[in-house]
Amino acid sequence: MTSLAKNSGIWQWAMFSFVLAGFTGFLFRFGFVEPLPVDLNLENMRHAHSHLMFFGWASLLPLYLIKLDIVSGYHAAFGVRLMKNALWWIVIFGLLSFPPFLLYGYKPIAIGDASLPLSVIFSGMVMLGWYGFMAGYWITRRRKKGYTPNPFFDGALVMLFVSSLGAWSVGVLQVTNFGGVLLPKALTHFFLATFIEGWVILVLMGLVAKALQLKEDEFEVSPTVLIGLIAIGAPLTFPYGIADGLINFDLSVAARTGGVLIAEGVLLFVYSAIKNRWSNISIWIWPLLFLVIKSVMQLVASVSPMEMWLSDHGTRILYLHTTLLGAFTVGVIWFLHHMANMQKKYFYFVLGSVVLLIMSLVLMTTLWPESLSGPWIFDVLALAAIFPVISVLFFWIKLKKMVDQEHQSVEVIRKEVVL
């Protein structure tokens, strides 16, 4: 498996983004317990937390791993340079978007005589970086001989592009004041649904398939069909994030249909992976287990009355963290762990912290008896939120040390060969 580049700061900036976004999430939770030392708006903190997780973690690191899959090390080809420059572009503008989101949210900032929504502008610049990477990837993919493309990566990039269209449309509506209340909200959730259910899930499936070396004929159905189920279903689920009173029958049917399609595709993928790689599936069972939990939650939501869960914001938060922190983050951390051949205790530290946080989120849902609720829940939520930050920070430090040692060994061997 390809090694992480010692001198490439991309993966390290991704780790930094996770730690910073995670610490912001902790401060957000802590703000419900004690007044923060700095006067920060909790809603703005939530936006800063989620956008940095999206831009600096859930998009940046997978894109870097896709680049390593198609070409590792230095390469002067135009497509490769375009991918590399696009990744740095995403790093820069992803981090630049964090301060305005944290301090102002989506509000414009007065700069001289102008009033500019910097958070929106920087977010748009990140998406331009996505496009640059996609262009570089397709150029390299077409020109590189002997490369067998990962179909899940191809599908994921398509979904990343589709999701960006929803974000651009929201910006256009804000400028033109067109669409009333429902359309901007619908397009916002179109972006979120397509990004999370499409891009995130497909790129995770691609990493699992690559690590387990799953062949096309080992899937219960063709990978093309699995990708199609998710690609069709993901955009349809956007009504799940809209208030109950704004959803009509057609939107309800679309969301339920999309949820069933996605869950079907994910469960068929997990079944194929476990069936054909059970003897050496190792710790991959954990992200696969989170994918199963996420799919079961999605199926329940697709067949149950909407009033049972749509108004329960806590259930939505639990689902998102099960998907993004449980399945995706645990999966990516294990992929990095596997690349560096680290001791398993560092992965288990991250896994334990993630499980603890997700279990704490159950306290916010209707699954937790109201008779057992109380102010102490906010203390638990804040305490649990800091553990993934600490565990990933330790994992990052150890990973960097392992990568440095590996490249030092390579340099020693290279010098001996020269002598």
Side-chain angles (χ1 to χ4, degrees):
M1 189 171 290
T2 305
S3 298
L4 292 170
K6 175 186 176 183
N7 296 323
S8 173
I10 300 294
W11 64 269
Q12 296 199 62
W13 280 114
M15 303 296 287
F16 172 78
S17 296
F18 180 94
V19 171
L20 178 58
F23 185 71
T24 307
F26 160 72
L27 289 179
F28 172 78
R29 297 291 181 200
F30 189 75
F32 289 94
V33 179
E34 296 287 345
L36 295 175
V38 181
D39 186 20
L40 293 173
N41 180 282
L42 293 179
E43 183 71 11
N44 293 343
M45 292 178 67
R46 185 173 64 84
H47 288 311
H49 162 77
S50 61
H51 281 80
L52 188 57
M53 279 295 188
F54 283 179
F55 297 149
W57 178 247
S59 68
L60 176 64
L61 186 57
L63 288 173
Y64 175 70
L65 295 175
I66 290 174
K67 175 187 173 295
L68 288 186
D69 180 66
I70 193 170
V71 58
S72 59
Y74 173 77
H75 202 288
F78 172 72
V80 179
R81 288 187 284 113
L82 187 55
M83 284 191 289
K84 180 180 178 181
N85 292 336
L87 289 171
W88 280 113
W89 180 280
I90 295 168
V91 169
I92 292 170
F93 286 102
L95 291 173
L96 283 176
S97 71
F98 179 78
F101 269 122
L102 182 66
L103 298 176
Y104 305 102
Y106 286 100
K107 296 178 181 178
I109 302 172
I111 302 177
D113 296 331
S115 184
L116 302 175
L118 289 184
S119 58
V120 176
I121 293 173
F122 291 147
S123 298
M125 299 300 281
V126 170
M127 291 187 290
L128 292 180
W130 292 352
Y131 298 157
F133 182 92
M134 293 172 198
Y137 173 80
W138 291 110
I139 292 171
T140 306
R141 182 183 183 278
R142 182 167 55 88
R143 294 180 177 177
K144 186 172 183 181
K145 298 179 180 179
Y147 173 68
T148 302
N150 187 319
F152 295 101
F153 289 164
D154 289 354
L157 288 170
V158 171
M159 298 311 293
L160 185 62
F161 174 78
V162 173
S163 73
S164 71
L165 299 180
W168 288 120
S169 300
V170 174
V172 172
L173 293 180
Q174 288 178 339
V175 172
T176 60
N177 293 319
F178 177 78
V181 177
L182 179 59
L183 189 55
K185 184 178 289 292
L187 289 171
T188 298
H189 288 286
F190 175 88
F191 161 73
L192 294 172
T194 310
F195 182 93
I196 296 170
E197 304 288 357
W199 156 256
V200 168
I201 296 301
L202 285 175
V203 82
L204 175 59
M205 290 165 64
L207 293 174
V208 174
K210 175 181 171 62
L212 297 179
Q213 299 180 350
L214 287 167
K215 301 178 178 63
E216 184 174 352
D217 59 0
E218 291 179 319
F219 290 96
E220 290 302 300
V221 297
S222 167
T224 303
V225 175
L226 295 179
I227 295 167
L229 289 171
I230 294 170
I232 295 172
L236 293 177
T237 59
F238 76 89
Y240 280 144
I242 303 176
D244 190 12
L246 297 176
I247 296 181
N248 58 29
F249 177 77
D250 293 336
L251 290 177
S252 173
V253 171
R256 294 170 186 274
T257 302
V260 171
L261 291 175
I262 295 168
E264 182 182 4
V266 171
L267 291 175
L268 284 171
F269 175 86
V270 172
Y271 176 75
S272 301
I274 293 177
K275 177 184 177 182
N276 294 284
R277 293 293 184 272
W278 177 252
S279 59
N280 62 344
I281 201 167
S282 184
I283 298 177
W284 276 113
I285 193 64
W286 289 105
L288 292 176
L289 177 60
F290 278 116
L291 280 176
V292 171
I293 296 172
K294 165 240 187 303
S295 299
V296 171
M297 294 175 70
Q298 200 161 36
L299 284 174
V300 171
S302 298
V303 300
S304 61
M306 278 194 167
E307 57 269 16
M308 288 181 57
W309 51 265
L310 191 59
S311 60
D312 185 6
H313 182 66
T315 300
R316 174 74 175 169
I317 297 299
L318 175 63
Y319 173 78
L320 290 175
H321 282 77
T322 300
T323 303
L324 293 170
L325 191 60
F328 175 76
T329 296
V330 168
V332 171
I333 289 292
W334 174 242
F335 193 86
L336 295 174
H337 174 282
H338 191 48
M339 291 177 73
N341 196 26
M342 296 169 61
Q343 292 176 298
K344 290 183 179 179
K345 63 182 180 181
Y346 295 98
F347 169 79
Y348 280 122
F349 186 19
V350 175
L351 175 64
S353 68
V354 168
V355 171
L356 179 64
L357 187 146
I358 291 176
M359 290 179 62
S360 73
L361 293 175
V362 176
L363 302 176
M364 296 175 58
T365 71
T366 53
L367 298 173
W368 186 254
E370 188 174 351
S371 59
L372 299 179
S373 298
W376 61 270
I377 287 178
F378 297 102
D379 297 275
V380 173
L381 290 171
L383 180 63
I386 196 61
F387 283 101
V389 178
I390 297 172
S391 64
V392 171
L393 180 60
F394 274 102
F395 182 90
W396 174 18
I397 294 171
K398 181 61 178 179
L399 179 61
K400 184 179 185 306
K401 183 178 179 181
M402 295 287 291
V403 171
D404 290 345
Q405 289 176 348
E406 178 184 350
H407 284 271
Q408 287 173 3
S409 300
V410 171
E411 288 298 321
V412 170
I413 294 174
R414 189 175 297 165
K415 289 178 181 179
E416 290 177 350
V417 170
V418 172
L419 292 176

